[in-house]
Amino acid sequence: MPVYSIRGINVDFPFEAYPSQITYMDRVIESLQNKCHALLESPTGTGKTLCLLCATLAWRKSLGSFSTRKDRSNGDFPLTDSDSQMSQSGGGFPTIVYASRTHSQLRQVIKELKRCSYRPKMLVLGSREQLCVNEEVNSLRGKALSNACQYLCKKRGKLQCNHFNRVPEYLKHNSHIGDEPVDIEDLVNIGKGSGPCPYYITREVHKDVDILFTPYNYLISNAYRKHLKVDWNNSVLIFDEAHNLEGLCADSASFDLPSFHLSACITEAQECVKLASARRGSLNDGSTNPENFAILKGLILKLQELISKVPIPKRDEGFTKPGPYIYEMLKSLNITHETAPNLIGILEEATVLLDEEKLRTGTNAGCKLELIVDMLKLIFRENGSSHADVYRVHVQEHEQNSSDMIKGKVSRTLSWWCFNPGITMQDIAKKGVGTIILTSGTLSPMDSLAQELKLDFPIRLENPHVISSNQLWAGVVSTGPSGCVLNSSYRNRDVPEYKQELGNAIVNFSRVVPDGLLVFFPSYYLMDRCIAFWKEGGQRNSMTIWERISKLKKPVIEPKDSSLFPAAMLDFSKKLQDRSISGAVFFAVCRGKVSEGLDFADGAGRAVVITGLPYARVTDPKIKLKREFLDEQSQVSDVKLPRSTILSGSMWYSQEAARAVNQAIGRVIRHRHDYGAIIFCDDRFEQPSQQSKISLWIRPYVKCYPRYGEVISDLARFFRTERSIVPASLVTKQEDDIVSSLLPKVSTKDAPTPTSGNSNVKDAGVARNELSRLEALPAANRASPSECGGSSIKWKGLTILQRKGKMPRIVKGEGMQACSSGKTKLVEISDEETPVKTCEVVDLECDKQTCCETETFAPSSNCFNTIGLVKKRKVPESQGSGSSSVLKEKGSGSGDKKEASASAFLSQVKEKLNAEEYSKFIGCMQALKNKEQNLATVMQSIAQLFCGKERDHLLMGFKGFVPAKFRPAYEQCIKTTKRDAL
């Protein structure tokens, strides 16, 4: 495993690192050593997560041993009792908290941890919904499950939770839990059957870990954060996939209380009155006072009435007041900082009472009174009311439903919106956190993000991608096939000509782009309107645009209902696999689920079409108030930045749209060997101000096309070139034959020299330079036509015989007249530059009977040397006066052995590969023989084809057929492919 010394820290990395990966790890270590915050952007497919883990854990290990018993016992001193105690208490070293948005993303992070050499004490946190194994209650959700769990844990006898009771004994005998990486599924498996409770295992073990994995809400929610038993002093907080962190922080600090939820709360309060009265009467249980719940019901009724009487002059604008106004509203109900704690206690008592009743009756409905609890805790925070200045009170009136109209009620929502997401991050920073690292594939523009979060981020990075320039096509398409301007702005989006032109453009893209095509719209509204137009539009006796798209690619539409999304993804996957059509097209929306974190690697997403800029609805009250708030802040800002860089409302509005675009186009390139196209179908992307907001690694590739025809021709050429990397099968009926092929030999002075020094510290430069030099070699069929003479072409000791109506044959030897097909032989050509004594014919057509006339030529010093696995027939020594004799090849026994070796290898290949993969393998070999691909491209394709634990022997076996001078490059291909496959 390579070891990289970065800022004095030795970092074990599973693979040879790219320069961009070393740069990324350098920034991580710099922020950790200096105890400062960092914004790190690195595109998807650059190994960001692995770099982050390796660099952070290497820095942590440099401070002292991990808390695992194994790690401490492998240190310089034997493990003592005091060491064991220190291991259990964390040893006083900084705790690393790694947060991502979802558990599925954390699952991928833990997979990366398993690939590292580092083994810190670790744990992943989950909610009861993920970890509860008690079949009596794990069907419940939210607070209902929490309350039921707590109720069973307090009980004794038949109702008690046996899983909870087994936790202490399990931990006593399994203190090693977390020494090896474990995921949510591993923890659940521990508790299944009659095992201990996984949830309470995590509650205990997380106190003493080196690295803790958790969803975002455990950090950004004050209620969740208080339950974490983490030593925050000098701790390290990592937020992965942090491109929308500021939005999540603001949402977690805000609330919306619609009138129908208030109605449900009133009903629940009345139910509590009945339950408490029943308990007092039948069970003589005085722990719950029905009068408290009656008072609670009265307060909620008054709050509902108060909201309904708020004057709203215009329904679209609603009623808005500064944040502190919320205290005035609640004071009229006698809810203040002094009375709020008592009211919160009554509400929590009510939720427990309702959940116990639901557990008894077996109902799973949630408790709406919890919303009032969360609202009051948010308003009456521990540190007073100073935070209210960054809030706005808003009451919005909605259209009445039939039930409200009958009852004469008004449907309204009371909102308290936070417009400064920095208050959450500042609360975290005040706990003494040493370093906060935010990382994602799309963080830019970074200035606005830093200002939003109200933290200083002195270390910033916008990393390039690890792909080469020929793997990405990016273009701005300003006009459609008919020359009509493509522009999805508010004024233009409903114009029929625009929708017609966009539809025709997508038809052509569907024809040119192979496999999966992703089309992103700015909004659901525009997507629905365009698709409806394409389905209805069309002339008599002609196909509609929708029918034309469907004929080329099967369509899938992203649903608004998130519960239907898994079915849509499954549908897209099935349609991609349908070989009767050229792929599938997914119509989706920026900021939707398709654009957020899903992996459309390789053929699943060969191109992304952006149909416009996804600006939020300017009349949306929340958007309007956010812009006004930022404009006010920018006027009184004391930020030490130039006035032009201070975040204003319009800047934020524009940058939010740019981030949504960057997130969507991030679906197209997912790993080192992926390739694809980004198509901007809106003329506004021609503006430098818009292009400057595109992710840094994409900007150099963006080209503006004035004419639509140029777009299609360039796009078609791009995909033709990229698809040729793995050509279609060129095999014939005799594909089982094994023969050698000839490749240009590079002179000794250009050959790479073996690396020297510590074998653990890999010199990636030599092999990479050799690979790039091979890629630069022209294909053999690009020889100058000036070398032609008559019916043949001479090139580097090779004669290409022209044959009318047939493919040419390549002849190499001293002299030959007539020849005929003979037994297949595999011939090994020496690396030494010795005259060739053998007459060989490489028959590109593999016909059984061919005759040709050749001329005698002297062997070139640039002889051919590489052994391949493509068809070649050995011309047998002719007998009789009518044929010229051919000198016998020296060491024919060696040739026979090589033939046997190749036959055995091919048998192994056929055994391990399926039919399609085997055809690709033969296709690569045939392309190499025909000089349609250079050696570097073929080695990359073979390395990808043979990648996998069960195929490692194929990778090593093929190495025997690669010339010695090119083996370092082949080894580099193997390492690169294995890294990217992980």
Side-chain angles (χ1 to χ4, degrees):
M1 181 174 290
V3 178
Y4 296 91
S5 179
I6 303 175
R7 295 183 177 270
I9 304 293
N10 289 331
V11 181
D12 288 346
F13 200 67
F15 316 101
E16 289 185 7
Y18 294 115
S20 61
Q21 292 174 326
I22 293 175
T23 302
Y24 186 92
M25 290 189 285
D26 176 86
R27 297 295 187 276
V28 172
I29 292 175
E30 182 184 2
S31 65
L32 295 170
Q33 290 178 333
N34 297 333
K35 293 185 179 180
C36 57
H37 309 319
L39 294 175
L40 307 177
E41 179 181 276
S42 193
T44 301
T46 55
K48 166 176 55 69
T49 302
L50 190 61
C51 292
L52 190 56
L53 288 171
C54 288
T56 306
L57 294 174
W59 167 81
R60 165 60 185 82
K61 193 169 186 178
S62 71
L63 303 178
S65 298
F66 291 130
S67 300
T68 59
R69 185 177 181 88
K70 179 180 178 181
D71 190 76
R72 298 190 63 80
S73 65
N74 289 339
D76 297 330
F77 302 98
L79 186 69
T80 64
D81 291 340
S82 60
D83 288 327
S84 180
Q85 292 172 4
M86 182 180 292
S87 173
Q88 294 302 312
S89 62
F93 298 119
T95 302
I96 302 164
V97 182
Y98 193 116
S100 195
R101 289 185 302 129
T102 63
H103 275 101
S104 61
Q105 290 172 342
L106 286 175
R107 190 179 302 116
Q108 296 302 317
V109 175
I110 293 170
K111 284 184 179 179
E112 294 295 312
L113 178 63
K114 292 178 180 179
R115 298 184 181 111
C116 297
S117 64
Y118 300 102
R119 286 296 176 264
K121 186 83 169 179
M122 63 77 63
L123 198 72
V124 56
L125 291 180
S127 65
R128 286 181 172 88
E129 291 182 16
Q130 277 108 22
L131 293 170
C132 181
V133 291
N134 189 324
E135 295 180 356
E136 294 181 13
V137 297
N138 60 8
S139 61
L140 300 174
R141 291 293 176 264
K143 285 285 183 68
L145 175 58
S146 299
N147 292 334
C149 172
Q150 293 168 3
Y151 174 76
L152 292 179
C153 291
K154 293 176 183 177
K155 289 289 182 180
R156 292 293 178 264
K158 293 182 179 180
L159 288 178
Q160 68 179 341
C161 178
N162 292 322
H163 298 281
F164 170 75
N165 296 333
R166 295 189 181 100
V167 171
E169 187 69 17
Y170 178 83
L171 291 178
K172 181 179 178 180
H173 298 287
N174 294 274
S175 59
H176 62 274
I177 188 77
D179 286 5
E180 290 293 325
V182 291
D183 201 353
I184 291 288
E185 288 77 9
D186 301 319
L187 293 169
V188 170
N189 289 333
I190 290 173
K192 279 184 177 177
S194 58
C197 173
Y199 176 76
Y200 281 98
I201 287 176
T202 63
R203 287 277 297 269
E204 290 299 316
V205 177
H206 91 271
K207 304 172 186 176
D208 307 306
V209 296
D210 298 307
I211 183 167
L212 182 66
F213 297 93
T214 174
Y216 276 176
N217 58 325
Y218 279 67
L219 292 179
I220 63 179
S221 169
N222 187 51
Y224 281 111
R225 193 167 60 244
K226 287 194 297 186
H227 293 295
L228 292 180
K229 305 301 180 183
V230 173
D231 182 4
W232 298 104
N233 191 41
N234 292 324
S235 60
V236 177
L237 268 58
I238 298 171
F239 289 90
D240 199 359
E241 300 298 334
H243 48 271
N244 58 352
L245 180 63
E246 75 278 19
L248 292 172
C249 287
D251 290 343
S252 70
S254 305
F255 72 78
D256 294 294
L257 187 63
S259 57
F260 63 86
H261 278 172
L262 279 173
S263 299
C265 290
I266 295 169
T267 302
E268 289 179 350
Q270 180 62 38
E271 180 69 15
C272 288
V273 173
K274 293 180 180 179
L275 290 173
S277 300
R279 285 193 177 190
R280 175 176 287 186
S282 61
L283 301 176
N284 198 22
D285 183 357
S287 60
T288 54
N289 187 353
E291 293 178 2
N292 289 338
F293 302 133
I295 294 171
L296 175 63
K297 177 186 175 183
L299 281 174
I300 299 174
L301 280 167
K302 288 181 180 180
L303 177 61
Q304 187 181 49
E305 183 181 1
L306 181 64
I307 295 171
S308 66
K309 290 182 178 180
V310 168
I312 299 180
K314 295 182 180 180
R315 176 181 289 182
D316 293 341
E317 295 181 1
F319 170 87
T320 303
K321 287 286 185 178
Y325 181 76
I326 194 73
Y327 297 106
E328 295 182 30
M329 291 182 67
L330 296 179
K331 188 177 181 180
S332 65
L333 304 176
N334 197 31
I335 303 175
T336 63
H337 279 90
E338 291 73 26
T339 61
N342 185 45
L343 179 59
I344 291 172
I346 294 173
L347 283 162
E348 290 178 338
E349 186 180 349
T351 59
V352 171
L353 185 64
L354 290 170
D355 289 335
E356 289 178 358
E357 178 65 15
K358 289 171 185 175
L359 181 63
R360 188 184 67 82
T361 57
T363 56
N364 295 336
C367 181
K368 299 302 180 185
L369 285 173
E370 295 167 359
L371 298 174
I372 308 291
V373 175
D374 295 339
M375 180 190 82
L376 294 176
K377 287 182 177 179
L378 202 60
I379 296 171
F380 299 101
R381 295 176 58 163
E382 297 171 357
N383 54 355
S385 59
S386 60
H387 62 290
D389 293 333
V390 299
Y391 282 78
R392 295 292 182 270
V393 175
H394 185 77
V395 178
Q396 184 71 35
E397 187 167 320
H398 310 285
E399 292 185 6
Q400 291 178 303
N401 57 38
S402 57
S403 175
D404 288 337
M405 291 180 68
I406 294 171
K407 296 177 182 178
K409 293 183 178 179
V410 178
S411 179
R412 291 183 172 185
T413 298
L414 170 67
S415 301
W416 202 48
W417 290 326
C418 174
F419 292 122
N420 177 16
I423 63 172
T424 299
M425 299 304 293
Q426 287 173 327
D427 283 349
I428 294 173
K430 287 176 184 176
K431 292 181 174 292
V433 173
T435 300
I436 297 176
I437 297 175
L438 272 58
T439 186
S440 178
T442 51
L443 283 182
S444 57
M446 292 186 178
D447 285 340
S448 63
L449 179 61
Q451 289 182 52
E452 282 267 79
L453 296 177
K454 297 294 186 289
L455 291 178
D456 184 25
F457 292 92
I459 298 175
R460 302 182 186 185
L461 173 67
E462 290 183 76
N463 231 355
H465 214 298
V466 295
I467 62 170
S468 57
S469 59
N470 65 331
Q471 290 174 254
L472 178 67
W473 185 99
V476 178
V477 185
S478 57
T479 60
S482 303
C484 179
V485 173
L486 293 174
N487 185 301
S488 67
S489 62
Y490 178 77
R491 296 178 181 177
N492 198 51
R493 66 185 186 185
D494 287 321
V495 175
E497 289 78 9
Y498 163 73
K499 290 182 279 191
Q500 180 82 18
E501 197 77 343
L502 178 63
N504 287 330
I506 292 174
V507 169
N508 287 324
F509 296 146
S510 300
R511 184 176 291 112
V512 172
V513 175
D515 304 320
L517 175 64
L518 308 177
V519 181
F520 287 98
F521 291 85
S523 64
Y524 281 105
Y525 169 84
L526 185 56
M527 180 177 73
D528 294 342
R529 294 298 293 267
C530 283
I531 291 176
F533 179 85
W534 298 339
K535 288 181 177 179
E536 296 171 3
Q539 300 175 354
R540 186 178 298 176
N541 299 325
S542 66
M543 297 174 67
T544 64
I545 290 175
W546 187 255
E547 289 170 339
R548 290 160 61 202
I549 292 173
S550 303
K551 188 176 180 181
L552 296 166
K553 292 186 184 296
K554 293 185 176 180
V556 178
I557 302 172
E558 179 179 6
K560 289 182 182 179
D561 187 348
S562 59
S563 64
L564 301 177
F565 184 72
M569 284 298 299
L570 182 62
D571 186 31
F572 181 69
S573 178
K574 288 181 178 178
K575 288 177 177 177
L576 271 179
Q577 297 170 12
D578 187 351
R579 296 293 94 186
S580 65
I581 201 167
S582 65
V585 54
F586 209 137
F587 293 100
V589 174
C590 291
R591 297 189 186 91
K593 282 191 171 292
V594 174
S595 68
E596 288 285 330
L598 290 179
D599 190 5
F600 290 90
D602 301 315
R606 279 293 173 227
V608 165
V609 177
I610 304 295
T611 64
L613 288 163
Y615 290 115
R617 186 166 57 90
V618 71
T619 56
D620 185 302
K622 196 171 186 179
I623 299 299
K624 185 178 179 181
L625 290 173
K626 173 73 174 183
R627 295 181 66 175
E628 291 175 358
F629 172 82
L630 289 173
D631 286 336
E632 292 172 8
Q633 294 291 306
S634 64
Q635 297 301 318
V636 298
S637 178
D638 58 353
V639 179
K640 297 178 181 178
L641 290 171
R643 180 62 60 181
S644 61
T645 62
I646 294 176
L647 186 64
S648 65
S650 59
M651 287 173 61
W652 169 83
Y653 186 67
S654 176
Q655 289 174 4
E656 283 296 293
R659 277 208 191 96
V661 168
N662 288 333
Q663 194 61 24
I665 61 183
R667 304 308 96 205
V668 72
I669 301 291
R670 306 300 294 180
H671 58 80
R672 168 67 182 86
H673 296 291
D674 205 354
Y675 66 91
I678 301 170
I679 308 168
F680 298 98
C681 286
D682 194 305
D683 68 341
R684 288 173 291 178
F685 284 106
E686 291 182 330
Q687 302 169 8
S689 60
Q690 291 297 338
Q691 291 193 18
S692 66
K693 296 184 182 75
I694 296 173
S695 294
L696 183 64
W697 69 273
I698 298 174
R699 289 178 216 164
Y701 301 99
V702 179
K703 179 181 177 181
C704 296
Y705 288 86
R707 289 183 294 275
Y708 183 80
E710 295 178 10
V711 176
I712 296 301
S713 61
D714 273 15
L715 202 55
R717 189 180 305 111
F718 168 78
F719 282 113
R720 264 200 317 269
T721 303
E722 290 303 317
R723 293 186 81 180
S724 67
I725 292 176
V726 183
S729 175
L730 301 175
V731 297
T732 61
K733 292 180 181 179
Q734 299 87 3
E735 68 180 17
D736 292 333
D737 296 343
I738 304 175
V739 292
S740 63
S741 70
L742 308 177
L743 287 179
K745 179 180 178 182
V746 181
S747 60
T748 306
K749 65 181 181 180
D750 294 327
T753 57
T755 58
S756 59
N758 188 345
S759 60
N760 289 328
V761 183
K762 303 295 184 181
D763 183 2
V766 173
R768 194 174 294 115
N769 290 339
E770 171 65 9
L771 190 60
S772 62
R773 185 179 61 77
L774 285 171
E775 289 172 342
L777 286 174
N781 57 10
R782 296 179 189 172
S784 172
S786 63
E787 298 182 17
C788 296
S791 61
S792 64
I793 300 174
K794 289 183 180 179
W795 186 71
K796 292 188 177 183
L798 187 72
T799 295
I800 303 176
L801 303 176
Q802 307 284 349
R803 297 189 295 172
K804 186 175 181 180
K806 295 184 179 181
M807 292 184 69
R809 288 191 301 170
I810 301 175
V811 181
K812 175 173 179 281
E814 288 190 338
M816 187 174 69
Q817 293 178 359
C819 61
S820 61
S821 178
K823 183 181 178 181
T824 300
K825 291 280 188 180
L826 183 139
V827 182
E828 182 172 8
I829 308 299
S830 172
D831 283 343
E832 299 176 3
E833 297 183 3
T834 55
V836 179
K837 300 294 184 181
T838 308
C839 175
E840 300 164 6
V841 177
V842 181
D843 194 339
L844 301 184
E845 202 173 48
C846 297
D847 51 351
K848 292 184 177 181
Q849 297 292 332
T850 58
C851 293
C852 62
E853 295 181 0
T854 66
E855 60 178 276
T856 303
F857 55 89
S860 167
S861 60
N862 277 334
C863 65
F864 289 66
N865 62 359
T866 300
I867 299 301
L869 295 173
V870 295
K871 292 182 179 57
K872 174 180 174 183
R873 61 185 177 85
K874 177 87 169 99
V875 179
E877 183 177 354
S878 301
Q879 303 293 332
S881 58
S883 301
S884 63
S885 62
V886 180
L887 296 174
K888 291 183 178 180
E889 180 186 0
K890 292 181 180 180
S892 60
S894 173
D896 292 338
K897 290 179 181 178
K898 197 69 180 180
E899 178 184 0
S901 173
S903 299
F905 177 72
L906 188 57
S907 297
Q908 294 175 3
V909 172
K910 293 188 73 172
E911 181 183 348
K912 290 295 181 183
L913 269 57
N914 59 38
E916 183 180 356
E917 291 172 331
Y918 181 68
S919 296
K920 287 182 179 179
F921 170 72
I922 296 298
C924 287
M925 296 299 99
Q926 198 75 356
L928 183 62
K929 166 188 169 182
N930 295 344
K931 306 298 181 282
E932 295 171 354
Q933 292 184 16
N934 55 37
L935 178 58
T937 302
V938 171
M939 290 194 300
Q940 288 173 342
S941 299
I942 294 300
Q944 292 178 46
L945 203 56
F946 290 169
C947 185
K949 288 185 178 181
E950 296 182 355
R951 301 180 182 180
D952 279 347
H953 65 290
L954 298 182
L955 283 172
M956 295 301 104
F958 187 79
K959 182 178 176 182
F961 298 97
V962 176
K965 293 174 182 176
F966 299 113
R967 285 175 187 169
Y970 178 65
E971 291 169 353
Q972 173 65 17
C973 285
I974 295 175
K975 292 171 183 174
T976 302
T977 303
K978 284 186 175 181
R979 170 176 55 198
D980 295 336
L982 296 173

